[in-house]
Amino acid sequence: MSLPKDNKDSIPEPVKGLEGIVAADTNLSSVNGEKGILRYCGYNIDDLAFNTTFEETICLLYDNELPNQERLEEMTKKVGEARVLPDEVIRIITELVGKTSPMSTLRTVVSVLGHYEKNVPLKELPPKALRLVGQISTAVAIIHRLRKKLPIIEADPSKGHAEDFLRMLHGKEPTKIQVDALNLYLILLADHGFNASTFSARVTAGTLANLHSAITSAVGTLSGPLHGGANEKAMDMIIEVGTKKNASKYIQNAFDSKQKIMGFGHRVYKVDDARKPHLKKMAKKLWEEKNEMKLFEVAEEIEKQVKDRKPIITNVDFYSAPLLYGLDIPTDLFTPLFAMSRIAGWTAHVLEQYRNNRLIRPRARYVGQIDRTFRPIEQR
Ligand code: CMC
């Protein structure tokens, strides 16, 4: 882009979308996009995926260590006890449901929950952050129950997070495979380097704004279809395609009209997303348990049709979609479910930002006109 020669504000060419820019150090997660490896605190998620619970992941992100049995029990209890919302917040949800999307309601809930918390010194912040981890899941369940005019189901702190959420959402005990599937989902989406929502949480925390402000920013950022909103759109597409034989024409049309196909492409991964094979395997198991393979097979066919045309990677959102749908979760709750997992990473990142803070303040290059002649309003 050519700039006016005497533009005093001219600074180097910006990196669009900050692609490839390393903005900070982190001890939380690392993504090797060339090899398709995701690690939490040094542990490969291939090892964590089927062998741990979401609560163990929270311990890992908060403590930088996998827990022993005692620490895990303590964490399970703390998160369980946090699955409670103040009555006033439930009243606000009642006002909002049906008038706005679940994700917008969730953003408001996170913001309002901040009013019930005191400002505390950094060393007392982890329990406050953990409360939000518990509360977000209850909020998602209550949003759903209230809009369906179903009674709210109270949390049972003795249960694991995934199991209790499914019970609060559907009003019945989930099967073991359903609990395993949700645990896997929650583990795999808990953190992912400087993704857009985590970055926005850290930018907010970097001003020393409070935890709830940072997480409100993150929830808003996650809601967009290029980030967390892609899972819902991916499922809409799978349902719309409907049969394997429709997939080829649908995908060809999408390419011809230069549409982005939801659940494909990634800024960092050059090979398939590290989380994809685990999500795909678990989604398949869920649909096998239901003895209903049609939608899963449509998803596989869409993936094949995309890859036959262009080497675009399959990202986390594509097989998250049939996994969540297989748990009878309505598509407009998919992004809130993403938030229910990513809250572990967001809060851990906010704590990390506060521990070693420097205001995050990049620059923009001014490319507009300069030295314009000012005219008083009556002459314009
Ligand atoms: N469908 C069709 N073509 C695609 C897609 C897609 N989903 N993704 C990338 N491409 C093509 C794009 O057209 C471009 O081709 P060309 O070089 O020939 O013009 C090339 O791949 C690079 O795409 P880009 O949009 O410049 O890549 P980006 O790094 O700016 O965007 C992305 C990454 C994730 C926003 C993009 O791939 C996308 O919009 N995907 C669909 C939405 C989606 O699934 N989002 C979830 C992302 S993963 C989870 C998360 O971070 O939340």
Side-chain angles (χ1 to χ4, degrees), residues 225-228 230 255 259-267 310 312 315-317 338:
L226 297 189
H227 187 14
F255 276 111
Q259 278 173 46
K260 285 277 168 68
I261 303 158
M262 294 294 142
F264 294 90
H266 202 275
R267 180 60 65 77
K310 202 167 178 176
I312 307 175
N315 68 45
V316 67
D317 286 306
F338 194 156

Side-chain angles (χ1 to χ4, degrees), residues 47-99:
D47 295 325
L48 302 175
F50 287 90
N51 300 317
T52 59
T53 60
F54 182 52
E55 285 87 338
E56 283 174 82
T57 302
I58 303 171
C59 289
L60 183 57
L61 293 172
Y62 275 51
D63 305 344
N64 213 267
E65 289 294 348
L66 280 169
N68 59 19
Q69 194 57 37
E70 194 186 344
R71 172 67 176 140
L72 178 60
E73 280 166 20
E74 180 195 35
M75 178 60 79
T76 306
K77 186 162 177 277
K78 278 191 180 151
V79 175
E81 286 169 354
R83 285 193 293 273
V84 182
L85 293 185
D87 288 345
E88 271 177 59
V89 176
I90 298 177
R91 270 199 295 281
I92 291 169
I93 298 178
T94 314
E95 280 297 311
L96 291 175
V97 286
K99 297 184 190 137

Side-chain angles (χ1 to χ4, degrees), residues 106-161:
L106 188 65
R107 191 193 57 231
T108 302
V109 166
V110 170
S111 176
V112 172
L113 283 169
H115 299 305
Y116 297 85
E117 296 280 357
K118 293 195 188 90
N119 277 331
V120 292
L122 184 52
K123 65 176 178 0
E124 291 169 31
L125 205 51
K128 181 167 154 180
L130 276 178
R131 262 195 296 285
L132 209 39
V133 175
Q135 286 166 328
I136 278 195
S137 72
T138 310
V140 176
I142 290 182
I143 289 168
H144 180 65
R145 302 287 298 176
L146 287 179
R147 70 180 175 166
K148 293 279 168 201
K149 304 204 176 348
L150 294 166
I152 292 171
I153 295 174
E154 279 191 20
D156 178 349
S158 70
K159 292 194 188 299
H161 198 59

Side-chain angles (χ1 to χ4, degrees), residues 97-368:
V97 286
K99 297 184 190 137
T100 181
S101 71
M103 198 57 183
S104 295
T105 307
L106 188 65
R107 191 193 57 231
T108 302
V109 166
V110 170
S111 176
V112 172
L113 283 169
H115 299 305
Y116 297 85
E117 296 280 357
K118 293 195 188 90
N119 277 331
V120 292
L122 184 52
K123 65 176 178 0
E124 291 169 31
L125 205 51
K128 181 167 154 180
L130 276 178
R131 262 195 296 285
L132 209 39
V133 175
Q135 286 166 328
I136 278 195
S137 72
T138 310
V140 176
I142 290 182
I143 289 168
H144 180 65
R145 302 287 298 176
L146 287 179
R147 70 180 175 166
K148 293 279 168 201
K149 304 204 176 348
L150 294 166
I152 292 171
I153 295 174
E154 279 191 20
D156 178 349
S158 70
K159 292 194 188 299
H161 198 59
E163 178 182 356
D164 206 27
F165 170 75
L166 288 172
R167 195 188 58 84
M168 289 193 288
L169 186 77
H170 292 314
K172 60 178 186 204
E173 295 297 332
T175 64
K176 175 162 183 336
I177 185 167
Q178 288 170 336
V179 176
D180 290 348
L182 185 59
N183 246 318
L184 178 96
Y185 175 84
L186 295 175
I187 293 164
L188 291 178
L189 276 85
D191 197 35
H192 205 242
F194 260 33
N195 60 89
S197 55
T198 300
F199 185 56
S200 89
R202 286 190 76 136
V203 169
T204 307
T207 70
L208 298 184
N210 64 29
L211 173 84
H212 286 72
S213 299
I215 304 302
T216 306
S217 301
V219 176
T221 308
L222 185 73
S223 66
L226 297 189
H227 187 14
N231 51 16
E232 177 180 345
K233 304 274 179 238
M235 196 64 228
D236 290 344
M237 170 177 68
I238 295 166
I239 293 169
E240 192 185 333
V241 171
T243 63
K244 278 169 75 174
K245 78 171 172 30
N246 290 343
S248 169
K249 192 166 163 217
Y250 184 100
I251 295 302
Q252 190 56 49
N253 281 342
F255 276 111
D256 291 347
S257 55
K258 305 215 174 305
Q259 278 173 46
K260 285 277 168 68
I261 303 158
M262 294 294 142
F264 294 90
H266 202 275
R267 180 60 65 77
V268 179
Y269 286 111
K270 305 299 170 214
V271 295
D272 274 355
D273 191 311
R275 299 158 291 182
K276 176 212 134 173
H278 306 303
L279 292 163
K280 181 173 180 179
K281 186 172 164 191
M282 192 46 113
K284 188 168 184 218
K285 262 177 136 177
L286 265 181
W287 286 98
E288 276 167 357
E289 190 189 52
K290 284 173 176 285
N291 201 15
E292 231 180 282
M293 295 309 288
K294 190 171 154 199
L295 283 177
F296 181 81
E297 285 167 8
V298 171
E300 282 190 308
E301 186 62 23
I302 290 174
E303 187 182 25
K304 179 178 177 303
Q305 294 295 334
V306 170
K307 300 217 166 185
D308 282 353
R309 287 167 175 81
K310 202 167 178 176
I312 307 175
I313 71 104
T314 310
N315 68 45
V316 67
D317 286 306
F318 190 65
Y319 282 104
S320 290
L323 184 150
L324 294 176
Y325 207 63
L327 288 170
D328 301 320
I329 292 172
T331 54
D332 63 355
L333 288 190
F334 283 14
T335 316
L337 259 286
F338 194 156
M340 193 179 129
S341 163
R342 189 57 58 86
I343 183 68
W346 288 335
T347 48
H349 273 275
V350 169
L351 293 169
E352 189 174 62
Q353 184 69 35
Y354 287 148
R355 283 186 198 116
N356 187 17
N357 189 51
R358 185 150 196 243
L359 178 74
I360 300 171
R361 204 300 187 189
R363 293 190 64 184
R365 180 176 60 161
Y366 176 70
V367 294

